[in-house]
Amino acid sequence: MAKNSLGREIPAQWRGRTLDPYLDPWNKKPEVLRATRPLVRRSPGDSKLLPSLRAALEKCELRDGMNISTHHHLRNGDLLLNMLVKEMDAMGLRDMGIASSSVHAVHAEIIPYIRKGVITRIETGVNGLIGEMVSRGELNCSVIVRSHGGRARSLVTGEVEVDAAFIAAPCCDITGNMNGVHGPSACGSLGYAYTDARYAKKVIAVTDNLVRYPASPISISQSDVDYVVQIESLGDPRKIVSTTTRITRDPAGLLIAKYAAEVIEASGLLKDGFSFQTGAGGTSLAVADNIRRKMAAGQIKGSFGCGGITGYFVDMLEQGYFETLFDVQCFDLNAVDSMRRNAGHREISADLYASPFNRGSVVNMLDCVILGATEVDVDFNVNVNTESSGYLLHNTGGHCDTAAGAKLAIVVAPSIRGRLPIVRNAVTTVTTPGETVDVIVTERGICIADKHVDLKKELLRRNLPVKDIRQFHEEITQITGIPKPVEFDDEIVALIEYRDGSIIDVVRRVRE
Amino acid sequence: MAKNSLGREIPAQWRGRTLDPYLDPWNKKPEVLRATRPLVRRSPGDSKLLPSLRAALEKCELRDGMNISTHHHLRNGDLLLNMLVKEMDAMGLRDMGIASSSVHAVHAEIIPYIRKGVITRIETGVNGLIGEMVSRGELNCSVIVRSHGGRARSLVTGEVEVDAAFIAAPCCDITGNMNGVHGPSACGSLGYAYTDARYAKKVIAVTDNLVRYPASPISISQSDVDYVVQIESLGDPRKIVSTTTRITRDPAGLLIAKYAAEVIEASGLLKDGFSFQTGAGGTSLAVADNIRRKMAAGQIKGSFGCGGITGYFVDMLEQGYFETLFDVQCFDLNAVDSMRRNAGHREISADLYASPFNRGSVVNMLDCVILGATEVDVDFNVNVNTESSGYLLHNTGGHCDTAAGAKLAIVVAPSIRGRLPIVRNAVTTVTTPGETVDVIVTERGICIADKHVDLKKELLRRNLPVKDIRQFHEEITQITGIPKPVEFDDEIVALIEYRDGSIIDVVRRVRE
């Protein structure tokens, strides 16, 4: 057991894997060749159509111990992963790994199959109940939490081998050309599935909307697809995308957003060519709204918005505040519709978006990202994976990727949530290292990393409530009290992998 | 020396390479893993900009014996290859290979550098003077002629290693995102360069139009580009694309086109969903014109047109005769303009277009292709590489790829050209094997491969001049006489590689 550079205890090995402790955000370099896979020849007239998921699983010659993947572009409306797990059980497969891009609440259906030993590994992190049960020691399932960029990296380096990738295809032809913008399960970007299409040993397009050749546009092409399966329905459209994402109406959230926008303005980045990412949360959208007003007032033309895309960013594209949207995931129907019709709204892969191990990802060009947090600490480390309960409840998403890439990474959060202070002496779990976080904005104060001397001066000049983070921590905890620490057993139930593959933290079993 | 299945004598080895004699169009399977390359990490703020081609060549650490590539999307207006060869000479590099997608007349400027030993291998075939000089034994330069699909295959299998790919980018940003639709050197599709971007050890974007980040659209992305070099001019725009491609006015050509269109109609393929490729020659376009009229008369909605794209196909897209164009290369300005503005006009890579060794290429879905020929023979073998002079003058392009993929491969040619008969007992050089050629259409007669019994009957029923190819050969040679055979020395100066990597023929030194 050695400590990584953030003081987190990382074992030398975990469940057969040798661990590389996190050192810093920048210097770990790829030491392997790009992963490969067998080449395949298809002659004219060969059919890729298979009658069922079962037939596809059989064609892939899956054996105990292999990995499959699915992708979360259908989010909580996804039915595919559950269907596959049930089929694998019926086939008698055991000790399988799920190397999906994310696992959502809807996938709690696979819990009985984890208990049964059908699934023993989740290579991507989990949202919700499965994570909570893993944290409680109720499920014997290894979990490795990876960011979007880190997941792409793990496939490209071959650290994670996907034996069969099942890609939910809202629009697909008989050769496997597919897109996500047409059909009853339209979800927009298929960005998370691109890397699997290039690196999985077998690639299966699963569709509820088989169209005449050629599907158009082509997001993932026939040259990467082995088989095509038509099923009744990919998912529940109501849960695939929300009809709209909304700006918060909470006064504290609006104040946070106002402060965050002032920080961006004060940083000097808000000028022609400005690039920006926010999530889909109400406060994040309120920041975007403030930024749009400032851009309008200053007649500023930005360059690109990126990440998961909302209707709010679509409006900014259409109103000329951005020239381009880079979309790895559509968060609402407005974004899906925009991607269908607007050439400036561009689908990108998770690799191009955020991988640290390519010749340059989009996050490296970001001026500013607005991030959330379940906790931050006095060293600016951020936790989004566990809550103060200690339970593993959330995936990393692009959090640590964008923080590392952007010139200005701003965390927005209420100072107190559920009677607990947002700032801790040390976060329960480190998702994103403090070296890559620049500013923390709450409704009670703004904390700035020491290296930003000029920005701090400028914010003080603007009479904004700049506070030293340690003093701010004391100020809040005088209100909330110091929370009772969660007690953990020694047993490690999950790894938190940094985007470069080093281990930034572990999640231990909660003692109850 | 053994004979391949077409009776061509193929040595066991040639210049150090063990040769695999051609056997048949379908059964050779890939036996290797997909080629790989080192992974690279780029951090935010790293600059890819280099001040000159020389600086880029140095950064790539090129050594004697390595390969570089360029691409022929600027066709005869390309200046890049010549500039690179001169720089390599100035650096003292020798024994370099050119693994470009094609070499055109404009590249005759590199001849002195071949004589000097700077360049000793051309891995792609040649158009024009270099080929003629190689055929005469005047240049000591190994030439391997590959089709578009075969070239993609050779990179993907790793048979050809490109140490540095220099991609002419008509529109590019500082990270290497690029497209071919904007700027003074706009050429449309960058389809031939895609495979290099994925497989070359180093990838250099060379541009005369450096735009603000992000370039849009993105054809080849920053995640694959190592360096960016800005130069004064990529090429001579007048030679990059023709302003327009025209239908022939020659009566024989028009008659050939009429016959070809009747053959297509008689085949039963001309119905909803019809897909089609022609080249840019005047007769080919006349076939397209006839087909368009037949589609209009029958209210037929086709699915896709593909290949090198002309304004004629753009019109067919816009008039609803095709839903999609798959464009690996724009032949004229109308095509460039269409690709810029019409989402149905889609850029595709040479790999997706035509490689035999992927999970399915577009040519496999083609109903009908119209092909040219310098010679055909009584076994339906086609030559497009050499002329009856014996000189290697033309590249294969997509000829053998589309013939293998399409349900109906029709060769259109005048029965007599330059006083020589188009049909021979045996072609001088086999480019495309007779097994993949279905019909030969001339103004004097139509020859049909034996397997098409029903089509032959239908053409006879329509009173078309169907002729047995051996009898037709006799008929023409009664007019032209039997041409005096070209005399060759034993020395092999070039290989004709079939799309699967086997050797379908060799080119020998012409005895003069």
Side-chain angles (χ1 to χ4, degrees):
Chain A
M1 195 71 76
K3 286 189 175 176
N4 70 16
S5 69
L6 303 177
R8 304 281 155 156
E9 295 212 334
I10 311 293
Q13 294 231 326
W14 186 68
R15 301 192 185 177
R17 174 176 164 187
T18 300
L19 303 185
D20 179 16
Y22 169 82
L23 191 62
D24 73 69
W26 314 117
N27 290 308
K28 189 170 154 71
K29 292 283 193 299
E31 287 167 359
V32 295
L33 294 178
R34 187 171 68 187
T36 180
R37 68 175 175 192
L39 294 170
V40 169
R41 176 171 195 168
R42 283 285 193 173
S43 293
D46 282 1
S47 172
K48 296 181 180 180
L49 279 176
L50 294 176
S52 64
L53 291 177
R54 175 65 171 260
L57 285 159
E58 286 170 355
K59 270 281 193 186
C60 293
E61 299 179 350
L62 290 179
R63 295 188 307 277
D64 291 358
M66 285 186 166
N67 293 330
I68 68 157
S69 72
T70 61
H71 310 86
H72 69 287
H73 45 258
L74 303 180
R75 273 173 296 278
N76 213 35
D78 176 67
L79 298 176
L80 183 55
L81 179 58
N82 296 345
M83 287 190 273
L84 289 167
V85 170
K86 283 173 200 170
E87 283 295 348
M88 290 195 296
D89 177 41
M91 289 165 71
L93 289 166
R94 295 296 179 268
D95 190 24
M96 303 299 289
I98 290 178
S100 299
S101 62
S102 189
V103 170
H104 284 249
V106 65
H107 302 123
E109 271 195 39
I110 71 172
I111 290 172
Y113 303 93
I114 297 175
R115 291 194 194 283
K116 205 170 169 180
V118 179
I119 305 300
T120 58
R121 301 178 310 285
I122 295 178
E123 290 277 357
T124 180
V126 285
N127 287 306
L129 185 60
I130 296 174
E132 183 177 330
M133 291 176 76
V134 165
S135 285
R136 285 180 164 146
E138 290 176 14
L139 289 178
N140 185 15
C141 182
S142 305
V143 174
I144 301 177
V145 179
R146 293 188 170 91
S147 69
H148 292 331
R151 177 179 188 269
R153 183 216 80 244
S154 74
L155 266 65
V156 171
T157 59
E159 275 163 82
V160 175
E161 290 194 19
V162 176
D163 296 291
F166 291 82
I167 306 179
C171 176
C172 186
D173 65 38
I174 56 166
T175 70
N177 291 309
M178 67 178 95
N179 67 65
V181 297
H182 298 295
S185 301
C187 61
S189 178
L190 302 181
Y192 298 117
Y194 274 68
T195 314
D196 301 64
R198 295 288 302 163
Y199 292 92
K201 302 284 180 290
K202 295 284 177 188
V203 178
I204 304 93
V206 184
T207 190
D208 55 5
N209 179 31
L210 194 67
V211 300
R212 190 171 93 167
Y213 183 92
S216 181
I218 295 174
S219 297
I220 289 170
S221 78
Q222 62 185 83
S223 57
D224 282 324
V225 176
D226 290 278
Y227 306 115
V228 178
V229 178
Q230 191 176 14
I231 62 175
E232 185 69 23
S233 172
L234 284 175
D236 179 345
R238 290 165 304 170
K239 297 176 183 166
I240 293 173
V241 279
S242 63
T243 49
T244 180
T245 41
R246 279 184 213 281
I247 295 173
T248 187
R249 294 183 184 173
D250 168 55
L254 290 171
L255 185 60
I256 292 168
K258 180 169 169 292
Y259 286 161
E262 293 218 38
V263 170
I264 296 168
E265 189 175 57
S267 74
L269 291 169
L270 194 59
K271 57 190 179 195
D272 280 350
F274 179 64
S275 58
F276 191 38
Q277 173 167 341
T278 71
T283 304
S284 290
L285 292 178
V287 181
D289 187 52
N290 278 280
I291 287 298
R292 186 183 58 76
R293 287 167 203 271
K294 286 182 189 293
M295 290 175 83
Q299 295 189 296
I300 293 163
K301 273 187 68 72
S303 58
F304 71 94
C306 89
I309 298 296
T310 61
Y312 206 87
F313 267 41
V314 169
D315 291 344
M316 289 181 74
L317 175 70
E318 291 177 359
Q319 292 158 11
Y321 297 106
F322 297 128
E323 286 178 354
T324 300
L325 294 182
F326 285 127
D327 188 339
V328 73
Q329 174 182 18
C330 295
F331 278 133
D332 60 26
L333 283 174
N334 288 341
V336 177
D337 181 52
S338 166
M339 217 183 79
R340 189 186 296 128
R341 64 182 159 68
N342 190 335
H345 186 151
R346 306 200 70 81
E347 187 176 31
I348 58 170
S349 71
D351 180 87
L352 173 55
Y353 169 51
S355 172
F357 285 6
N358 63 28
R359 285 157 168 83
S361 54
V362 167
V363 296
N364 284 356
M365 299 300 289
L366 256 182
D367 284 333
C368 178
V369 63
I370 304 296
L371 297 167
T374 59
E375 303 171 334
V376 300
D377 70 22
V378 294
D379 297 313
F380 286 78
N381 296 312
V382 182
N383 178 14
V384 296
N385 298 127
T386 59
E387 300 213 351
S388 298
S389 60
Y391 296 144
L392 176 62
L393 291 174
H394 310 286
N395 277 343
T396 299
H399 200 284
C400 63
D401 299 311
T402 49
K407 293 187 184 70
L408 190 67
I410 300 175
V411 171
V412 294
S415 59
I416 299 170
R417 190 153 45 194
R419 283 180 274 179
L420 294 171
I422 194 76
V423 183
R424 303 302 181 95
N425 253 322
V427 285
T428 307
T429 304
V430 184
T431 305
T432 294
E435 297 102 310
T436 61
V437 176
D438 302 291
V439 186
I440 294 162
V441 178
T442 75
E443 81 288 3
R444 282 174 204 266
I446 302 171
C447 305
I448 315 232
D450 286 342
K451 62 184 169 189
H452 292 294
V453 178
D454 291 345
L455 177 58
K456 190 170 178 176
K457 273 190 202 153
E458 176 62 20
L459 292 178
L460 288 167
R461 196 186 67 75
R462 293 174 179 231
N463 293 317
L464 287 165
V466 175
K467 294 180 181 171
D468 174 82
I469 195 160
R470 287 168 201 275
Q471 287 170 6
F472 186 53
H473 172 239
E474 282 187 21
E475 178 187 329
I476 309 177
T477 50
Q478 277 171 9
I479 303 167
T480 61
I482 299 276
K484 190 172 153 234
V486 185
E487 288 187 48
F488 292 99
D489 286 334
D490 284 342
E491 187 194 350
I492 293 170
V493 296
L495 301 180
I496 309 295
E497 216 183 66
Y498 190 55
R499 61 198 298 255
D500 63 8
S502 65
I503 304 303
I504 196 161
D505 209 343
V506 297
V507 179
R508 292 172 199 276
R509 180 173 169 161
V510 175
R511 186 178 297 164
E512 316 214 41
Chain B
M1 196 71 77
K3 286 189 175 177
N4 70 16
S5 69
L6 303 176
R8 304 281 155 155
E9 294 211 335
I10 311 294
Q13 293 231 328
W14 187 67
R15 302 191 185 177
R17 172 175 165 189
T18 300
L19 303 185
D20 179 17
Y22 168 83
L23 191 62
D24 74 69
W26 314 116
N27 290 309
K28 189 171 154 74
K29 292 282 192 300
E31 287 167 0
V32 294
L33 294 178
R34 187 170 67 187
T36 181
R37 68 175 175 193
L39 294 171
V40 169
R41 177 172 194 166
R42 284 283 192 173
S43 291
D46 282 1
S47 171
K48 296 181 180 181
L49 279 177
L50 294 175
S52 64
L53 290 177
R54 176 65 170 260
L57 285 160
E58 286 170 354
K59 270 280 194 187
C60 293
E61 299 179 350
L62 290 180
R63 295 188 308 277
D64 290 357
M66 285 186 166
N67 293 329
I68 67 157
S69 73
T70 60
H71 310 86
H72 69 287
H73 45 258
L74 303 180
R75 273 173 298 278
N76 214 36
D78 176 67
L79 299 175
L80 183 56
L81 179 59
N82 295 346
M83 288 190 273
L84 288 166
V85 169
K86 283 173 200 169
E87 283 295 347
M88 291 195 296
D89 177 41
M91 290 166 71
L93 288 166
R94 295 296 179 268
D95 189 25
M96 302 299 288
I98 290 178
S100 298
S101 62
S102 188
V103 171
H104 283 250
V106 65
H107 303 122
E109 271 195 38
I110 72 172
I111 289 172
Y113 304 92
I114 298 175
R115 290 195 196 283
K116 206 170 170 180
V118 180
I119 304 300
T120 57
R121 300 178 311 285
I122 296 179
E123 290 277 356
T124 180
V126 285
N127 288 305
L129 185 60
I130 295 174
E132 184 178 331
M133 291 176 75
V134 165
S135 285
R136 284 181 166 146
E138 291 176 15
L139 289 179
N140 186 15
C141 182
S142 305
V143 174
I144 301 177
V145 179
R146 292 189 170 91
S147 68
H148 292 330
R151 177 179 188 271
R153 183 215 80 245
S154 74
L155 267 66
V156 171
T157 59
E159 277 162 83
V160 174
E161 289 194 18
V162 176
D163 296 291
F166 291 82
I167 305 179
C171 176
C172 187
D173 65 37
I174 55 166
T175 69
N177 291 310
M178 67 178 96
N179 67 65
V181 297
H182 298 296
S185 301
C187 61
S189 178
L190 302 181
Y192 298 117
Y194 275 66
T195 313
D196 301 63
R198 296 288 302 163
Y199 292 91
K201 302 284 180 289
K202 295 284 177 187
V203 178
I204 304 94
V206 184
T207 191
D208 55 4
N209 179 31
L210 194 67
V211 299
R212 190 171 92 168
Y213 184 93
S216 181
I218 295 175
S219 297
I220 289 170
S221 78
Q222 62 186 83
S223 57
D224 281 326
V225 175
D226 291 277
Y227 306 114
V228 177
V229 178
Q230 190 175 14
I231 63 175
E232 184 68 23
S233 172
L234 284 175
D236 180 345
R238 290 166 303 170
K239 296 176 184 165
I240 291 173
V241 279
S242 64
T243 49
T244 180
T245 41
R246 278 184 213 281
I247 294 173
T248 186
R249 293 181 183 174
D250 168 55
L254 291 171
L255 185 59
I256 292 167
K258 181 169 169 291
Y259 286 162
E262 294 219 38
V263 170
I264 296 167
E265 189 175 57
S267 74
L269 292 168
L270 193 59
K271 57 190 179 196
D272 280 350
F274 178 64
S275 58
F276 192 38
Q277 173 167 340
T278 71
T283 305
S284 290
L285 293 178
V287 181
D289 187 53
N290 278 280
I291 288 298
R292 186 183 57 76
R293 288 167 203 271
K294 287 183 189 292
M295 291 174 85
Q299 296 189 294
I300 293 163
K301 273 187 69 72
S303 57
F304 71 94
C306 87
I309 298 295
T310 62
Y312 207 86
F313 267 41
V314 169
D315 291 344
M316 290 182 73
L317 174 69
E318 291 177 358
Q319 291 159 12
Y321 297 107
F322 296 128
E323 287 177 354
T324 300
L325 295 181
F326 285 126
D327 189 339
V328 73
Q329 174 182 17
C330 294
F331 278 133
D332 60 27
L333 284 174
N334 288 341
V336 178
D337 182 52
S338 166
M339 217 184 78
R340 188 186 297 127
R341 64 182 159 69
N342 190 335
H345 186 152
R346 306 201 71 81
E347 187 177 32
I348 58 171
S349 72
D351 181 88
L352 173 56
Y353 170 50
S355 172
F357 286 6
N358 62 28
R359 284 157 167 80
S361 54
V362 166
V363 295
N364 284 358
M365 299 300 289
L366 256 182
D367 284 333
C368 178
V369 63
I370 304 296
L371 297 166
T374 59
E375 303 171 332
V376 300
D377 70 20
V378 295
D379 297 314
F380 286 78
N381 296 310
V382 182
N383 178 14
V384 296
N385 297 126
T386 59
E387 300 215 348
S388 299
S389 61
Y391 297 143
L392 176 62
L393 292 174
H394 310 286
N395 277 343
T396 300
H399 201 285
C400 63
D401 299 312
T402 50
K407 293 187 184 69
L408 190 67
I410 300 176
V411 172
V412 294
S415 59
I416 299 170
R417 189 155 44 195
R419 283 180 277 180
L420 295 171
I422 194 77
V423 184
R424 303 302 181 94
N425 253 321
V427 286
T428 306
T429 305
V430 185
T431 305
T432 294
E435 295 102 311
T436 62
V437 175
D438 302 291
V439 186
I440 294 162
V441 177
T442 75
E443 81 289 2
R444 281 173 205 268
I446 302 170
C447 304
I448 316 235
D450 286 343
K451 63 185 168 187
H452 293 292
V453 178
D454 291 344
L455 177 57
K456 189 169 179 178
K457 273 188 202 156
E458 176 62 21
L459 292 178
L460 288 168
R461 197 187 66 75
R462 292 174 179 232
N463 293 317
L464 287 164
V466 175
K467 292 179 180 172
D468 174 83
I469 194 160
R470 287 168 200 276
Q471 287 170 6
F472 185 55
H473 172 239
E474 282 187 21
E475 179 188 326
I476 310 178
T477 49
Q478 277 170 8
I479 303 167
T480 61
I482 300 276
K484 192 175 152 228
V486 185
E487 287 187 50
F488 292 99
D489 286 336
D490 284 343
E491 187 194 351
I492 293 170
V493 297
L495 302 180
I496 309 295
E497 213 182 69
Y498 190 55
R499 61 198 298 254
D500 63 8
S502 65
I503 305 303
I504 196 162
D505 210 341
V506 298
V507 179
R508 292 172 199 276
R509 179 172 170 162
V510 175
R511 184 177 298 164
E512 315 214 41

